Amino acid sequence: MAITVLRLDYLAALTRATNRGGPDALHRVLDFAQRWVSRGDWSTVETGLAYAHATNALLDARRAEEDRLHLEVPTWSAIDPPGTASAHPLGEAIPVGRAEPPCRAEQLADQGRHHR
């Protein structure tokens, strides 16, 4: 599955890296995508697609840019038992050194998926 919402960021970083701008931007984009993948439930096609849709991964990159929508990477705090509320259900803060189960798409539902 391709993360279409990151397409423009990836192409810009790749262009910079190949034009002697250094690989730092490309590393950041790929690291961000890898963190997103690590948080999802990929046990079935259905759960993978549900996670991708809930986190804006399949949005057209240009449309997402116009609407100011971004790829949502769930924080580890979003991985709570069903029915419990997280203080910050989505975002990029990532605790280091914690191995927890992947986030299921239903845990993201109705938790402010869109930035505006």
Side-chain angles (χ1 to χ4, degrees), residues 7-23 25-26:
R7 183 177 184 273
L8 298 177
D9 295 325
Y10 172 75
L11 291 175
L14 187 60
T15 300
R16 180 179 178 173
T18 58
N19 289 324
R20 299 179 189 255
L26 184 59

Side-chain angles (χ1 to χ4, degrees), residues 17-32:
T18 58
N19 289 324
R20 299 179 189 255
D24 293 343
L26 184 59
H27 290 166
R28 282 192 302 274
V29 171
L30 294 175
D31 181 58
F32 185 74

Side-chain angles (χ1 to χ4, degrees), residues 54-56 69-73 88-91 107-116:
T55 57
N56 300 326
L69 299 173
H70 306 281
L71 180 66
E72 301 286 350
V73 177
H88 302 286
L90 298 173
Q107 291 173 287
L108 297 174
D110 301 322
Q111 292 186 6
R113 296 188 306 253
H114 303 287
H115 292 288
R116 292 211 181 251

Side-chain angles (χ1 to χ4, degrees), residues 42-90:
W42 305 102
S43 59
T44 68
V45 172
E46 292 79 20
T47 59
L49 282 173
Y51 175 69
H53 285 290
T55 57
N56 300 326
L58 301 178
L59 295 176
D60 175 74
R62 292 198 192 284
R63 180 126 195 215
E65 188 176 84
E66 291 170 2
D67 294 342
R68 296 183 182 166
L69 299 173
H70 306 281
L71 180 66
E72 301 286 350
V73 177
T75 61
W76 290 124
S77 64
I79 305 171
D80 293 331
T84 62
S86 297
H88 302 286
L90 298 173

